[in-house]
Amino acid sequence: MTATSYAVPARPADAEVCVPDLADLAAAAPDERTRILGTYVRQELGRVLGIAPHLVDTTDRPMNSLGIGSIAGLELQYRLEAALRVELNLQMLLLANSAAELIDCLATQFGGPHTLRRHEAAVPA
């Protein structure tokens, strides 16, 4: 019996995720902000789920049907909060009717009348 070596392709989860610039998000028009966040959230969902970002359905599937359960939800929550310096409710994230709903929620945190409290950068003592 001979050993066969197989090249292991890079997992989509290992793909680079481009975190948007927070100042650009705050200054962007609402439609542009939603587009930027949509791209970023797809990348993070792809990383968490181990699939290519373009395969993430953001419109018609609830988060749990995408494969986002409590563990994946916590990972996604942590990544989004750390990168965007926003607060996300895990229950809201898990019960979102779609990733588009999550994207809209994030977009409101960067401007508009429904701005929510943001995480403050940690200041060393």
Side-chain angles (χ1 to χ4, degrees), residues 4-84:
T4 306
S5 66
Y6 294 97
V8 178
R11 290 181 44 212
D14 296 333
E16 183 178 333
V17 173
C18 300
V19 177
D21 181 83
L22 300 182
D24 290 346
L25 277 175
D31 289 345
E32 179 67 5
R33 183 180 307 126
T34 300
R35 186 195 65 72
I36 293 167
L37 286 168
T39 299
Y40 170 65
V41 169
R42 273 188 201 88
Q43 291 173 353
E44 287 293 8
L45 280 166
R47 178 190 288 184
V48 168
L49 297 171
I51 62 174
H54 72 275
L55 296 175
V56 176
D57 179 2
T58 60
T59 56
D60 297 326
R61 295 181 60 196
M63 297 297 281
N64 62 354
S65 75
L66 290 174
I68 299 296
S70 58
I71 301 298
L74 279 171
E75 181 180 352
L76 183 62
Q77 176 189 18
Y78 172 77
R79 289 181 180 280
L80 295 175
E81 286 182 339
L84 300 176

